[in-house]
Amino acid sequence: LEIVFLLVLILRTWLRWKSLAGHFSKKGWNLCLSFLLGLATLDCIVGIFNIKGIIPGNFRLARLCRPLIFMCCYKNLREAVARVCSSIPKFMNVLASLAITLLLFTWVGIILFTSRGGPDDEGQKHFHSWGEAMASMWILFTTANNPDVWLPAYHKNRWSFLFFVVYLMLSLYLLNNVLLATVYDSYKEQLKVSLKLFFKNR
């Protein structure tokens, strides 16, 4: 299915190139789009014959290319991304707070749950290394692995759920909402500035 959508986008790019002829720019965003479409298609074709794709492991280049392809296709999306990027300094403190919370709870989780238990033990499944622990805590922040990530510890000691509940309360329900509000306010300010410039230059 992904290859079909990529072929539709390739057809769209080819039709634009044919219809615009000499006015079609072969550099900048169009060149980037062509490169990304080629890379994503190659990764999908390799993935048909080899599950791992171009890069060994579970990482697939086509997944990384999807948002970039759409950003290359639509000017309004590029402008919105530029406004969000220019407002990043205004919410860096909230991002830093989120990163510190993640690191702190990862560290505490490694101390609490790393043990010489069996393969079903919490420490062995989710906290056996810094990388694995940080990945588990980040995915828990998105709630994709909730409650799977804390069930082994919960079966061993019922009070261990407090660790995960406090983490979710701080990161998901507090910092995530503060981050969303800050991003929205910063984006709104950038939009006002760009609109003022637009009407000034008319």
Side-chain angles (χ1 to χ4, degrees):
L1 189 63
E2 187 173 3
I3 293 175
V4 172
F5 286 116
L6 285 170
L7 289 174
V8 168
L9 288 169
I10 289 168
L11 179 66
R12 173 194 177 273
T13 308
W14 182 77
L15 287 172
R16 284 190 72 223
W17 173 63
K18 281 302 231 182
S19 62
L20 294 172
H23 298 289
F24 184 81
S25 174
K26 293 180 182 174
K27 55 187 177 182
W29 289 108
N30 289 325
L31 182 66
C32 183
L33 176 63
S34 303
F35 173 74
L36 289 169
L37 284 170
L39 188 66
T41 307
L42 180 66
D43 186 59
C44 287
I45 291 169
V46 169
I48 292 170
F49 304 105
N50 177 13
I51 297 169
K52 293 178 179 178
I54 295 173
I55 298 175
N58 295 326
F59 184 76
R60 294 287 307 276
L61 282 173
R63 291 179 192 148
L64 180 66
C65 292
R66 285 176 202 163
L68 299 173
I69 286 170
F70 281 100
M71 197 172 77
C72 289
C73 286
Y74 301 105
K75 187 179 179 183
N76 290 340
L77 183 61
R78 290 197 297 269
E79 289 172 355
V81 168
R83 279 194 287 271
V84 171
C85 289
S86 62
S87 61
I88 284 175
K90 294 178 182 175
F91 55 84
M92 276 301 289
N93 54 351
V94 185
L95 283 175
S97 302
L98 188 59
I100 290 167
T101 304
L102 177 69
L103 284 168
L104 180 70
F105 275 87
T106 300
W107 175 55
V108 173
I110 289 172
I111 292 169
L112 285 176
F113 302 119
T114 301
S115 62
R116 297 182 177 273
D120 292 333
D121 190 58
E122 180 76 32
Q124 296 299 318
K125 282 183 88 171
H126 302 291
F127 290 93
H128 62 85
S129 69
W130 268 95
E132 184 69 32
M134 282 190 74
S136 295
M137 295 306 281
W138 176 252
I139 296 168
L140 180 60
F141 170 70
T142 66
T143 66
N145 63 356
N146 186 37
D148 299 340
V149 72
W150 53 268
L151 280 178
Y154 179 74
H155 287 309
K156 204 169 185 182
N157 183 357
R158 303 254 170 176
W159 288 103
S160 63
F161 84 95
L162 282 173
F163 168 79
F164 297 101
V165 168
V166 170
Y167 170 71
L168 284 172
M169 293 290 283
L170 275 174
S171 62
L172 181 64
Y173 298 113
L174 178 67
L175 289 174
N176 192 33
N177 289 327
V178 171
L179 178 63
L180 185 62
T182 315
V183 170
Y184 177 72
D185 285 342
S186 304
Y187 180 81
K188 209 164 60 171
E189 284 177 24
Q190 289 294 326
L191 188 60
K192 282 179 186 174
V193 169
S194 63
L195 282 171
K196 280 179 186 175
L197 284 170
F198 174 74
F199 286 115
K200 189 179 177 181
N201 296 329
R202 279 182 72 181

